[in-house]
Amino acid sequence: MSRSIMQKNRLGSGACTDASKRIDFSFNGKAYQGVAGDTLASALLANGVDVVGRSFKYARPRGIVGHGAEEPNAIIQLGSGAATVPNLKATQVELYAGLEAFSVNGWPSVDFDLMGVIGAFGRLMPPGFYYKTFMYPKKLWMTYEHFIRKAAGLGATPVERDPDTYDKLNQHCDVLVVGAGPAGLVAAREAARAGARVIIADEQSQFGGSLLASTQTLDGIAATDWVAQLVAELQGFDNVQLLPRSTVFGYYDHNFLAILERRTDHLGLTADQGARQRLHRVRAKQVVLATGAFERPLVFAHNDIPGVMSACSVSTYINRYGVLPGNKLVLVTTNDSAYQTALDWHQAGRQVVAVVDTRTDPQGDSVNAVKALGIDVIDGHAVIEAQGSKRVKGALVAPINADGTAVTGSARGLNCDLIASSGGWSPAIHLSSHTGAKPQWDEQIVGFRPGESKQQERSAGACRGTYSLAACLAEGGNAGAEAAKLAGCGDGTIHFAAPVCQEYAQQPQQALFLLPHTQSTSRAPSQFVDFQLDVTAGGVELAVREGFESVEHVKRYTALGFGTDQGKLGNINGMAILANALGQSIAETGTTIFRPSYTPSTFGALAGRDVNQLFDPERYTAMHRWHVEQGAEFENVGQWKRPWYFPQSGETMFDAVNREGLAVRNSVGILDASTLGKIDIQGPDAAEFITRIYTNSYLKLAPGKCRYGVMLKEDGMIFDDGVCACLGDNHYLMFTTTGGAAGVLAWLELWQQTEWPELQVYFTSVTDHWTTATVSGPNARKVIAKVCADIDLSNQAFGFMDWRDGTVAGVKARVFRISFTGELSYEVNVPAHHGRHVWEQLMEAGAEFDITPYGTETMHVLRAEKGFIIVGQDTDGSMTPSDMNMDWVLGKNKTFSYLGKRSLERSDTTRDNRKQLVGLKTLVATEVIPEGAQIVFDSKQKIPMSMQGHVTSSYYSACLGHSIALAVVKGGLNRLGQIVYCPLADGRIIAAEIVSSVFYDPKGERHHVE
Amino acid sequence: MLLIHCPHCREAREEEEYSYRGEAHIVRPLAPESLSDEEWGDYLFFRSNPKGIHHEMWYHAVGCRRYFNVTRDTLTYEILESYLIGQQPAVTGATS
Amino acid sequence: MKKYSAFSLLKNALSYHENWQKVWRNPTPKSDYDVIVVGGGGHGLATAYYLAKVHGLTNIAVIEKGYLGGGNTARNTTIIRSNYLWDEAAQLYELSLKLWEGLSQELNYNVMFSQRGVLNLGHTLQDMRDIERRVNANRLNGIDGEVVSPQRVKEIAPLINISADSRYPILGASFQPRGGTARHDAVAWGYARGADALGVDLIQQTEVTGIRRQDGAVVGVETTKGFIGARKVACVTAGNSSVVAAMAGLRLPVESRPLQALVSEPVKPCLDTVVMSNAVHGYISQSDKGDLVIGAGVDSYNGYGQRGSFHIVEHTVQAICELFPAFSRVRMNRQWGGIVDTCPDACPIISKTSVDGLYFNCGWGTGGFKATPGSGYVFADTVANDRPHPLAAAFTLDRFNSGALIDEHGAAGVAH
């Protein structure tokens, strides 16, 4: 690594830097030193680094243009490894010891980029060139694209998991002030004084905005001292929250704003000091936007050569950072404000070669101050071309006509290494634009002002086109007091006198954007409008020539404004050039809408803590740890973790499921069924209500009895199913599917609250209150009997589809005799905190019968053997009860037209040949059809084949010794005995016979164990 | 993100607490069997979907779990009122 | 129409690009047309193109209230695939995919259709059952597709996280190699240029404000530039369908919702295929410029504001960070919203109406962009012949009365 510690352009300490504190850093592998308070950009300029990157399309060498969020060129990759960050703007990276940064383009180096060769053929790549070529031969496009893609991107994404964490903070405030420049600071102070809860956020490390680089005085003290005083005052209010390094990047509906606070980035990539960034989600009653303005660069030939900068940025580097980015300055301007840069440059002791003013005979205070120093002011002229390649070597200056459209005389060269330009200012109206306010073009300020407010916001200061410091301060104070008043704090009184500051008489600026050249725009050397995407004035004019007349078309055709700077410098110039090409005004041409993010926002911060295991809550049953201890494999069902199967050592899943299933069929098994939804329903009209919800009737269901029900959406399609038990008079317990529980509760509440409020019925979700252990198998009664003394378990006393209150393993329990396996089953419900105890007691009681825990997979096999459907697996939202061969569940004599009933009588739901649930038995008994296989009748048919249905559930049945499948087949119930085929992806065709969907114990005798 | 006033809780709360339940004031026919397929289909699926003033139902799903109606401008997203199920809106507009 | 080619590019470069032909005319509307297509988005322009090209109708106007291709065509995430579940939908999208495969040459305009493949991830056992079912159906319909393992997913998209410890681990995916992305603006511009060359009048910045009818038949449209007569009016106004339908006194089974999308800053190529996940709610691809193009779920409420709610974007970014933990340090450059007209069954409406000569093509929900060529093709046929194209027959308005819905929520999901 070579080493350079000469900061040849370092003037000394600036307002925000301390030249005595050196900081080591590296750029593109070379060591440099900056000072405390530097940004990476100011440190690079101090070291005389000219080329910081290569442009995207033409690979032209590029240098630093601006000093903040507007910077288009100085895009860098920070650091390496897992913590690397792509695409940061060097102007926004605070320098820290050991910082490593790299250019994002340029191979083998930014100083010598082979891609630069392509730039020489730039004329072959006008806007839209790729739409016009690479089409023939057709098959080669993917090859062309392969090479096009190689040039894609700026920086590189990390390839490892982000080592950092991110926070979110929900906030409410009375007044949110965006921007802590002069207007924002006084706005915050007035609002705070009025008693409002205030948040003031600024994207920079220090509050003060433009004042940090100002040579003005306020109330007789230096601007930076005044800022320090005011910040101290704000800190003294306990109702003010100050957020530096915090970018308000989006303004959303109902005064919701998103702020990204960078907490540790300035400390280095491995700061390890808590959350790296924090997203503040702020609901503000009122908002004051004080976001300032961007200086607009002028567009002229080769204006992208390193050493062409914004005038205000040059001043900022001098005053704020103590850096002089060159030796000999030519300033080109259309306005008075930029003259300050000439004064600053002169004051710093380096040569101002000339100020080139496009206006004739300017006479403002700053102009005269410059003239008084003997600086050459060349009026009625423009810089028409920059000279040089990797650094400006000169400026070509020519006289121009009064409206700035043509060169009127011969050009001459000025020797210089820095060209600062100013085409006036563009208010930063981005946040106002996010709200849908339509920006208004203002001829006076030659810029867009914020449109009429759509939200509770107002703009103050430069972001609404107010540029004199005194006026900004007055506006800020008024805005702060007004916002507080509207938020219910204070009466709008202004409490603080506006600071006294010097006023400068200014003359009107000229509305000029593209400086003319001796050649037409199409033939002149490239005049860049959007540096990052290499959009030129000629490109904009070409788009118009080709018929793209809407500003949006031109933007999209040329890519103007689509860079990571979002066109903060280029958009207005581009629009002005477009308007000119169309022969209309900028106001007629319209504007484009700014969208969030104001500046790019880290994905990790938007995600916050809700990643990894917190991406979605995990729900566990009371027995979860027991399952884990037994080595269960788990399945995600909704948010629940359910045991899928319990493999014993050396067992495959197939082995385990066969073992578990046989245990249930031959002795007894135990299932954790706690995840089923449970809704407690009470009220005098409960029976009537649930009878309207289910397809069958519950009016005559007696206490102690259970009934299986299906519920439909109003379109007649099955939506959920489960057992509903009558717990007592006017009291029911509804079981739902695991995944459907929340939806069913909302469904019940919907109908009760909106259509049938006259029905007195109340719902409570009790899913989490109860734990359910299902004991199933011929020995189930014997197991229960060992731990339950107070329920008569005999068939006579406690029949199928009954439930009883009792005590199980010493715990008050509800025991339901319902069965999803076809075997004798008891579902033991106990309060959840006793769940594991009861489970373990049942295991102990069952030991002598070799009680076997089984998971969801075995449950699926067992229920499929019985032909019981699973909603969501055997149905898909297009299935009626009749399709499921469940006509028996449709109440025939119900007086009320239950939900979905009418839809069952539509022409499509009553037609023949609907898909119907059947069983499939493979001709080769051991062959298991993959679930999701499609079914055809003619296996010889060529593709496209006529598909007649599909397999919804399919397993090997250990107890039957052959495979079983459930399927839906067109007209299937009339096709029993027919052979169908499942053509698989691997070329196999599985033949199967259509059979009844009930494979096991078709008469349903097994649960009647005596 | 919308800020919605729940007339039951009498508080404005974040949209994330609610779920949207579609156009309000769609009454379930009292005698579905007497309707033609067209009339039933209209009840099930066809909606006014206006650009502008819209009466819609919201559910305070992670709050009081109660349904209520909102009058909202679907273009500006401005919420003009919240009112109880069974009440009529105070604000109505030509649906453009 | 002067043909585009590498040669024409070179020739024009030599004359400083001063002689390029206008891409389309900017005509004043005639007093009447055989067919007026309302809506100058991709679908409307494709409809006009095929009406002229296939059906020989050239007295056609496309009327657009803003600029061509400025609605959802300009706002989508450009994903193209045809791996839908039901035969009817799959065949329609497959027709579209086949047209995409020759579209650049058909239009002599490079729409940059990039067949980089589409992965639809499965995160639960039921996801995988659904994927098997869909891929089997696709295969037997002659649509390419395979079910792939997590390891294969990782080979196709190396930065993806297939760890079994994830909250919702990737259990597999469907992969459609012929799917991919295209350059969205170019599709509208290519069809517009092609239609214009065939004599279609493209009338921009003109809003249709009424649909004039006489004796139950359409006779023309009122516009901000006055009345324009037409024998047939074909409405293709995604995001505004109900509003236009109301002009003819019709209601539609459609709700208009915000759909949001976002892009990152451009990064070096790191994702060469399209990755979609219904279960964790996000989808992502990388453009030829390097942007990660990310789609969110549909907002819950009706909205015509072309913007949605912030928490939807947050949730989408969570999903992307879950799938690609390395992208956590990449930054969102821009976010925006479109308006999608959603149907109850997540399938479109391509239909005659109760008004003679009035046709609607709408309700594409989140899936419209990929359907652009096929939608235009079958709609043009439907309008020209006043009866549904065979592939559009299942997508008429009648299905909402009969109950013959085509439920593609599973395949459409959040996604596209």
Side-chain angles (χ1 to χ4, degrees), chain A residues 12 20 23 152 161 198-199 295 300 326 346 441 460 474 544 558 614 801 804 819 842 850 916:
Chain A
S20 69
I23 293 179
R161 184 177 285 275
V198 175
I199 296 174
E295 192 172 39
F300 52 91
H346 181 85
W441 181 256
V544 173
T558 62
L614 297 180
M801 297 306 277
R804 294 290 178 268
S819 178
L842 287 166
D850 204 14
Q916 293 164 327

Side-chain angles (χ1 to χ4, degrees), chain B residues 36-49:
Chain B
S36 67
D37 278 4
E38 284 68 28
E39 288 164 332
W40 183 249
D42 194 65
Y43 157 70
L44 284 182
F45 299 124
F46 287 73
R47 298 293 178 262
S48 58
N49 191 28

Side-chain angles (χ1 to χ4, degrees), chain C residues 137-202:
Chain C
N138 292 157
R139 204 168 39 75
L140 300 186
N141 267 323
I143 296 167
D144 64 317
E146 56 182 311
V147 179
V148 295
S149 67
Q151 289 68 32
R152 178 84 181 105
V153 167
K154 182 85 178 164
E155 285 165 25
I156 296 169
L159 289 181
I160 206 163
N161 173 26
I162 58 165
S163 159
D165 297 335
S166 300
R167 178 65 185 88
Y168 291 108
I170 293 167
L171 304 183
S174 72
F175 185 55
Q176 185 180 25
R178 286 164 65 237
T181 57
R183 172 80 186 125
H184 52 353
D185 294 326
V187 179
W189 299 341
Y191 272 119
R193 174 167 166 264
D196 174 84
L198 293 167
V200 174
D201 283 355
L202 306 176

Side-chain angles (χ1 to χ4, degrees), chain A residues 25 180 393 430 983 995:
Chain A
F25 72 102
K393 292 201 172 73
H430 302 69
V995 296

Side-chain angles (χ1 to χ4, degrees), chain A residues 170 172 252-254 256 281 283 455 714-715 742-743 745-747 749-751 753-756 896-903 905-908, chain B residues 1-4 8 13-16 21 26-28 32-38 40 43-45 57 59 65-68 76-79 85:
Chain A
N170 291 304
H172 294 264
Y252 303 91
D253 282 297
H254 298 188
F256 181 86
R281 307 164 89 243
R283 189 72 76 172
Q455 300 275 344
E714 275 282 60
D715 64 1
L745 181 59
W747 182 244
E749 289 175 331
L750 170 72
W751 290 100
Q753 292 180 30
T754 64
E755 284 289 338
W756 311 318
F896 192 88
S897 181
Y898 58 81
L899 296 180
K901 179 171 189 285
R902 172 63 184 84
S903 286
E905 293 153 23
R906 293 176 298 170
S907 59
D908 192 70
Chain B
M1 194 159 68
L2 309 181
L3 186 66
I4 301 169
H8 301 287
R13 308 290 296 185
E14 299 293 333
E15 179 191 331
E16 289 163 294
R21 291 291 165 147
I26 291 174
V27 179
R28 186 174 199 255
E33 276 66 36
S34 68
L35 300 185
S36 67
D37 278 4
E38 284 68 28
W40 183 249
Y43 157 70
L44 284 182
F45 299 124
M57 194 156 60
Y59 175 45
R65 298 195 63 82
R66 297 185 72 181
Y67 290 79
F68 59 94
T76 66
Y77 299 176
E78 188 185 358
I79 291 178
I85 300 290

Side-chain angles (χ1 to χ4, degrees), chain C residues 25-110:
Chain C
R25 297 166 294 129
N26 193 2
T28 28
K30 295 189 234 171
S31 62
D32 64 21
Y33 290 93
D34 291 337
V35 182
I36 285 178
V37 176
V38 183
H43 288 233
L45 293 165
T47 302
Y49 176 80
Y50 290 116
L51 276 169
K53 181 81 189 286
V54 178
H55 303 281
L57 295 166
T58 51
N59 187 27
I60 301 174
V62 175
I63 301 184
E64 166 56 46
K65 70 175 174 176
Y67 59 96
L68 297 176
N72 290 345
T73 306
R75 291 159 197 278
N76 68 87
T77 50
T78 82
I79 296 170
I80 292 163
R81 60 186 177 88
S82 65
N83 56 355
Y84 278 68
L85 174 62
W86 299 94
D87 294 349
E88 297 86 349
Q91 282 161 9
L92 180 59
Y93 284 103
E94 177 63 13
L95 166 71
S96 204
L97 182 51
K98 290 211 169 87
L99 290 169
W100 276 113
E101 286 174 323
L103 198 59
S104 293
Q105 292 73 31
E106 164 79 19
L107 299 176
N108 176 236
Y109 204 86
N110 191 348

